[in-house]
Amino acid sequence: MNRPADQEVVLNRLGELERQNRMLRAWAGVVGLILIALLLRASPLVSQEKPGKVEATAFVLRDDEGRIRATLSGLNGGGAAVSFYDTKKHLRLLVGMNAGGQPNIQLNDAKEVGRAVLGLDENDSPGCDLSDRQGRRRVRLNVVDRGGEQPAALTFTDGRGSARVTLMHSEKLSGLTLTGPGEENLSSIVTFEGTAISMIQGKDGKTLWSAP
């Protein structure tokens, strides 16, 4: 049975449209996959059920101008530290822990001289050191608690590192000690278990005067 000419034309056109639709759907699928890949590459995942672990020997934080402002890195011997820098690349703040597990905080001036240090020693006793512009320790505040026998002390030192004034206190002992520039004389006013004692000692440790 022969089809009319106009019906044949319609069927051919419908077949052509169907082929075009299949091609469009295929291209749309390809374009969609490309867009999804680009979005995943440009935008990292916001959340994950099991976050990954990032490992490195050092991390560096830079500002908008590319200057290093902070680093997290390991230290020689097994310690670790977080270092903070000013805009002139000077190390100003150091927060770290040595290999033995003792933490400390160090404050530097604009010349990277350590001016203040706060930390714990190997006995977990706290201490604080204040230094001059040359980095010489001038003031120390420390607490060494060994059953209350060792007093807390505030010590002032001279430019040579010698203790000149010491103020101490514990449950049994309180006192003030003054030392000469060459450690030749030592004057003490001490209260021990409620008894006040004043003395002057020579460089060899012998008592030159005492009261009562």
Side-chain angles (χ1 to χ4, degrees):
M1 179 177 180
N2 295 328
R3 297 174 180 172
D6 54 350
Q7 185 178 5
E8 189 72 26
V9 172
V10 171
L11 291 176
N12 290 336
R13 185 171 295 178
L14 288 175
E16 183 66 22
L17 290 174
E18 186 177 355
R19 286 192 297 270
Q20 291 179 0
N21 287 333
R22 286 198 298 266
M23 293 181 63
L24 288 175
R25 287 196 297 269
W27 278 110
V30 172
V31 172
L33 291 176
I34 293 175
L35 290 176
I36 292 174
L38 291 176
L39 289 174
L40 290 176
R41 183 175 181 180
S43 302
L45 294 177
V46 176
S47 62
Q48 297 179 346
E49 293 182 1
K50 296 181 179 180
K53 181 172 63 174
V54 179
E55 295 184 0
T57 56
F59 293 91
V60 178
L61 177 65
R62 297 179 182 271
D63 59 16
D64 294 338
E65 298 183 6
R67 296 171 298 198
I68 297 177
R69 302 307 303 273
T71 62
L72 170 60
S73 60
L75 301 176
N76 294 333
V82 180
S83 304
F84 296 88
Y85 299 83
D86 60 18
T87 56
K88 297 181 180 180
K89 301 180 181 180
H90 297 145
L91 177 61
R92 301 301 300 270
L93 172 61
L94 180 68
V95 181
M97 179 179 296
N98 61 24
Q102 288 78 46
N104 64 82
I105 299 175
Q106 178 174 314
L107 306 179
N108 293 347
D109 60 17
K111 295 183 179 180
E112 296 189 346
V113 177
R115 303 298 299 274
V117 177
L118 172 65
L120 301 180
D121 62 15
E122 60 276 4
N123 297 314
D124 286 336
S125 298
C128 178
D129 291 340
L130 303 180
S131 303
D132 58 20
R133 294 183 181 273
Q134 286 71 41
R136 298 173 298 196
R137 185 177 66 211
R138 304 304 299 269
V139 180
R140 163 168 283 190
L141 174 63
N142 66 302
V143 178
V144 183
D145 188 7
R146 297 173 181 171
E149 297 178 0
Q150 183 70 28
L154 176 62
T155 304
F156 298 86
T157 60
D158 57 21
R160 296 177 299 177
S162 300
R164 300 295 303 276
V165 180
T166 302
L167 180 65
M168 66 190 76
H169 173 72
S170 70
E171 295 181 0
K172 297 181 179 180
L173 175 67
S174 299
L176 173 65
T177 300
L178 307 176
T179 306
E183 298 183 357
E184 64 275 6
N185 292 319
L186 185 147
S187 301
S188 299
I189 302 175
V190 180
T191 300
F192 181 73
E193 293 185 341
T195 302
I197 302 174
S198 300
M199 67 179 67
I200 298 177
Q201 292 179 315
K203 190 174 181 179
D204 55 1
K206 295 182 179 180
T207 300
L208 304 178
W209 175 86
S210 66

